Amino acid sequence: MCGIVGYVGNKNAQDFLVSGLKRLEYRGYDSAGIVTVSKNGEATLIRAKGKIVNLEEKIAKEKKDDKIGIGHTRWATHGEPSEANAHPHQAGSIYLVHNGIIENYKDLKETLKDFKFESDTDSEVLAALIDSFYDNGKHPLVNAVVQALKLVKGTYGIAVISKNNPEEIIVARAGSPLVIGVGKDETFLASDASALVGHTKRAIYLNDGEVARLTKDSIEIKTLNAEPVSAKVEEIETNLAAIQKGGYDHFLLKEIMEQPESLVETLRGRINAETGVVKLGGPGLTDTELRKIKHLIIVGCGTAYHAGLLAGYYIEQFTPEITIETVIASEYRYRQAYIPEDSIALIVSQSGETADTLACLREIKKQGVKTIGIVNAIGSTIAREVDGGTYVHVGPEISVASTKAFTSQVIAMVMFGITIAQAKGVRAGALKPYVDEIVKMPEEIRAVLNEVNDSMKTVAGNYKKYEHAIYLGRGTAYPTAMEGALKLKEVSYIDANAYAFGELKHGPLALVDDRFFEMVLLPEGELYEKAVSNVQEVLARGGHVVIITNSDEFDLEVENVVKITTSLKLFAPILMNLVSQLFAYYMTVAKGYNVDQPRNLAKSVTVE
Ligand code: F6R
């Protein structure tokens, strides 16, 4: 979603702002803008609808050597994508960029009768409000910002500069992340640390309710109630290679292909191949606490939700006396659900910033339930607010469609489940098959990716003409099918839905005709024969069936069989999901769509 960058120092601000915005492109946006201010208070505001190249073309005509500025990529919420609605917004001598939503903007607008609004945005209202308190420099800008924010209901990450004092940037956060980059004689700002990579390794993550005044050589942080905050400087772990395509045409393919390595990072130091023991330091639960767990709530959105569903199928196989409920965050936050005693909540999020997931986390904490994060983005809001957690450590995921995070989220949760089972006294022998397969999984992933990558290009090409797809699976293959369908629809815009195979006769079978193809995940195991019978039902109705299987037995006449070779039995569906990921990727390439930034979507959904 929206991105923020800022710079104050001795270098060219326009250069940093544009390069920073480019790094944030992956988050999704539909317009962009920057403003810089010269030493003598001349502001250059440049905004453009559409991609950053449009902004760059305009900047090339108005090149400046200003040393302070702020920039923004906007993902429209209030008002259509247009130049007038793009940030920064000007009000008098101040300029503002804003991420989030000002919920009471209509009421605030009523109080600003004299201001001539030029956009339809809630953000411009905030700019005007700050300007009214600033009174053209009669008061310190930081005080004006604080006064305005005290009247605001909603979420924000903001950066404000004034033509009157082109040496300071005022920033504040409530629910929308901001990272301050600490440099030598320069200070950076971004809504996501990836914009700072290569400029500084030292970062301060602003907390909700904090306001900071940034100059090139100072960072003063206070709460909105003027209490000083002593900031913790943390190291940015991401390196440049992690946020570049590294020879691949698209981030999506790069991220699919790096799963052997990213899963190794998830496992590192946590699983002992010899003894079979799993140890997770992050959750911070004692054996007594683990033993007591009777109920797990797993919360997430989209792919994270699917990862939770799949992990739940596994955990209940080997953990006694436990119930598991995987919920969609945007629903759960408004339900009146009873959480039984001795529950633990797993909060699953790649970005660690998803608004609905964060809201659930806060609700669940209010009920006194311990929360454990399964998060990728280090230092993200969810990671900071959970009681404990296990980072999945897959590195930055730039493509909007989540791939490597899914695989590692599932395995991180399964490992957490194993720690519960260990504490509850489950025999090591019963857990060993799971541990052994997890240990082998990175290499198995590598082998399957090599095995199917080329053929998926051809298979995807065969189904390019279809507008509808049905994904089918039973048992652990069912949540995996759900994830496959999500991947296909979000990047290739093919209408894809998943069904539990057993549900077919209860309705979806009516869909089978020449407009649809059916993608079947068919792992070996106790449900194999039943699933084969289901395939026959589809074939009998003229279905266009693609089978993904690890079985050598499959001998029905279908249009395509994608055979994977693996020694994994329990986790074969995770390998089948790699096939679904590649299928979605090659389908999107074949259709010529924007692979890494599908229309209408944002990487990090920070609004409800
Ligand atoms: C799908 C996808 C989304 C995210 C969802 C949750 O490919 O990326 O469905 O999984 O928006 O995001 P996080 O995990 O950041 O909370």
Side-chain angles (χ1 to χ4, degrees):
M1 294 209 137
C2 308
I4 286 179
V5 287
Y7 178 82
V8 50
N10 297 322
K11 297 192 190 129
N12 184 299
Q14 282 188 336
D15 289 348
F16 171 77
L17 297 176
V18 171
S19 72
L21 290 180
K22 281 190 179 162
R23 295 263 183 86
L24 302 183
E25 275 193 294
Y26 77 96
R27 299 171 65 93
Y29 68 103
D30 36 47
S31 58
I34 63 167
V35 65
T36 58
V37 182
S38 70
K39 273 209 175 82
N40 53 11
E42 254 172 54
T44 307
L45 172 67
I46 307 172
R47 300 181 294 184
K49 189 178 159 187
K51 292 288 167 197
I52 289 176
V53 285
N54 304 350
L55 182 71
E56 280 182 295
E57 278 168 20
K58 286 182 152 187
I59 294 173
K61 293 181 195 139
E62 279 193 82
K63 206 64 201 127
K64 299 283 165 178
D65 196 23
D66 303 338
K67 312 295 187 205
I68 183 168
I70 53 178
H72 191 260
T73 43
R74 173 172 185 261
W75 192 84
T77 55
H78 295 70
E80 56 167 17
S82 68
E83 192 174 322
N85 288 335
H87 302 210
H89 290 292
Q90 180 182 5
S93 58
I94 72 141
Y95 294 85
L96 165 135
V97 292
H98 166 226
N99 286 355
I101 291 181
I102 309 297
E103 286 165 11
N104 58 339
Y105 80 104
K106 283 191 183 139
D107 297 341
L108 295 172
K109 204 168 179 177
E110 285 293 306
T111 68
L112 298 161
K113 290 259 189 288
D114 296 337
F115 188 83
K116 195 173 158 300
F117 287 95
E118 286 175 3
S119 79
D120 307 318
T121 66
D122 52 335
S123 309
E124 193 186 16
V125 176
L126 179 56
L129 189 63
I130 294 171
D131 179 56
S132 71
F133 288 116
Y134 185 52
D135 204 2
N136 203 20
K138 288 205 187 100
H139 308 283
L141 183 56
V142 66
N143 293 2
V145 169
V146 169
Q147 274 179 288
L149 291 181
K150 284 191 170 169
L151 300 178
V152 159
K153 285 200 193 109
T155 54
Y156 55 81
I158 57 165
V160 187
I161 58 174
S162 161
K163 290 198 276 191
N164 294 344
N165 185 13
E167 285 171 6
E168 63 176 7
I169 306 177
I170 309 299
V171 303
R173 141 171 200 167
S176 239
L178 284 178
V179 194
I180 301 165
V182 188
K184 192 166 169 351
D185 292 329
E186 56 186 352
T187 303
F188 306 88
L189 173 72
S191 50
D192 175 331
S194 62
L196 307 180
V197 174
H199 298 282
T200 178
K201 275 199 155 299
R202 303 174 68 221
I204 297 170
Y205 293 86
L206 212 63
N207 288 311
D208 279 352
E210 291 178 355
V211 179
R213 179 176 177 272
L214 318 179
T215 68
K216 67 176 181 178
D217 45 23
S218 70
I219 296 163
E220 292 157 40
I221 308 181
K222 291 192 174 157
T223 65
L224 276 186
N225 296 324
E227 292 140 9
V229 172
S230 66
K232 192 165 133 222
V233 179
E234 297 178 40
E235 184 158 335
I236 301 174
E237 289 181 9
T238 309
N239 58 31
L240 268 180
I243 54 172
Q244 288 167 345
K245 285 192 193 139
Y248 287 98
D249 288 343
H250 302 100
F251 282 109
L252 184 55
L253 186 58
K254 177 188 180 222
E255 288 160 12
I256 293 171
M257 288 308 194
E258 67 194 13
Q259 289 177 90
E261 294 81 29
S262 57
L263 184 58
V264 166
E265 294 309 314
T266 312
L267 306 184
R268 193 178 295 288
R270 291 168 167 167
I271 193 158
N272 185 322
E274 259 103 73
T275 61
V277 171
V278 174
K279 272 211 165 88
L280 302 175
L285 298 172
T286 62
D287 271 1
T288 315
E289 286 172 307
L290 287 167
R291 213 171 5 253
K292 270 176 67 185
I293 297 174
K294 293 219 174 70
H295 183 64
L296 273 186
I297 314 165
I298 309 181
V299 184
C301 299
T303 289
Y305 165 67
H306 294 155
L309 279 176
L310 181 54
Y313 268 73
Y314 285 114
I315 296 170
E316 67 191 12
Q317 288 173 7
F318 55 74
T319 310
E321 294 158 8
I322 196 165
T323 53
I324 303 170
E325 185 191 14
T326 303
V327 296
I328 296 172
S330 57
E331 286 296 311
Y332 193 74
R333 64 183 289 189
Y334 296 113
R335 279 170 51 191
Q336 313 291 316
Y338 165 69
I339 306 183
E341 241 178 79
D342 299 321
S343 292
I344 290 278
L346 296 184
I347 312 294
V348 194
S349 177
Q350 186 286 126
S351 63
E353 302 294 349
T354 302
D356 286 317
T357 312
L358 180 59
C360 281
L361 159 64
R362 289 176 179 162
E363 281 301 316
I364 290 170
K365 275 182 90 169
K366 266 194 222 153
Q367 298 195 38
V369 175
K370 269 224 166 116
T371 54
I372 306 295
I374 305 293
V375 173
N376 186 37
I378 293 167
S380 57
T381 310
I382 292 175
R384 280 132 60 89
E385 291 196 16
V386 284
D387 298 303
T390 294
Y391 277 121
V392 296
H393 286 308
V394 299
E397 212 183 46
I398 306 287
S399 187
V400 163
S402 188
T403 50
K404 59 179 177 172
F406 173 83
T407 306
S408 284
Q409 284 163 345
V410 176
I411 295 306
M413 283 185 268
V414 171
M415 286 198 293
F416 180 71
I418 292 176
T419 65
I420 301 175
Q422 287 170 173
K424 284 181 184 275
V426 174
R427 287 181 303 113
L431 298 173
K432 199 154 183 330
Y434 294 88
V435 172
D436 286 350
E437 289 206 4
I438 291 173
V439 169
K440 280 197 273 179
M441 197 178 293
E443 282 316 311
E444 298 274 338
I445 288 177
R446 191 185 310 283
V448 168
L449 288 172
N450 285 339
E451 183 179 20
V452 300
N453 185 27
D454 285 342
S455 58
M456 286 325 289
K457 224 178 280 184
T458 321
V459 179
N462 293 344
Y463 292 89
K464 201 176 130 183
K465 63 173 194 278
Y466 288 89
E467 285 184 11
H468 307 279
I470 299 178
Y471 279 62
L472 295 156
R474 275 178 174 265
T476 48
Y478 170 47
T480 317
M482 292 169 83
E483 174 54 13
L486 174 62
K487 219 70 337 170
L488 187 70
K489 80 179 97 175
E490 72 177 313
V491 290
S492 77
Y493 314 147
I494 291 177
D495 162 43
N497 287 296
Y499 301 99
F501 236 151
E503 277 291 289
L504 210 56
K505 287 196 278 285
H506 301 285
L509 195 55
L511 292 171
V512 172
D513 69 13
D514 286 342
R515 295 168 308 146
F516 284 76
F517 69 91
E518 293 77 29
M519 181 67 88
V520 176
L521 277 62
L522 188 62
E524 283 177 332
E526 57 174 352
L527 297 174
Y528 176 81
E529 293 300 339
K530 287 190 194 304
V532 171
S533 308
N534 294 142
V535 173
Q536 273 167 323
E537 288 158 10
V538 176
L539 289 174
R541 274 124 195 124
H544 300 277
V545 176
V546 184
I547 298 285
I548 308 173
T549 189
N550 55 339
S551 166
D552 291 323
E553 309 285 296
F554 187 80
D555 59 1
L556 296 179
E557 283 266 319
V558 297
E559 288 186 3
N560 280 283
V561 178
V562 182
K563 170 76 182 28
I564 60 167
T565 315
T566 175
S567 67
L568 301 193
K569 301 252 175 294
L570 300 161
F571 291 107
I574 291 193
L575 304 179
M576 294 176 182
N577 189 50
L578 307 173
V579 178
S580 297
Q581 292 174 347
L582 286 170
F583 182 75
Y585 171 73
Y586 285 117
M587 179 67 82
T588 309
V589 173
K591 289 184 145 219
Y593 294 141
N594 187 334
V595 172
D596 289 325
Q597 290 161 29
R599 67 188 179 203
N600 307 338
L601 298 182
K603 182 66 183 164
S604 174
V605 184
T606 51
V607 293
E608 217 186 315

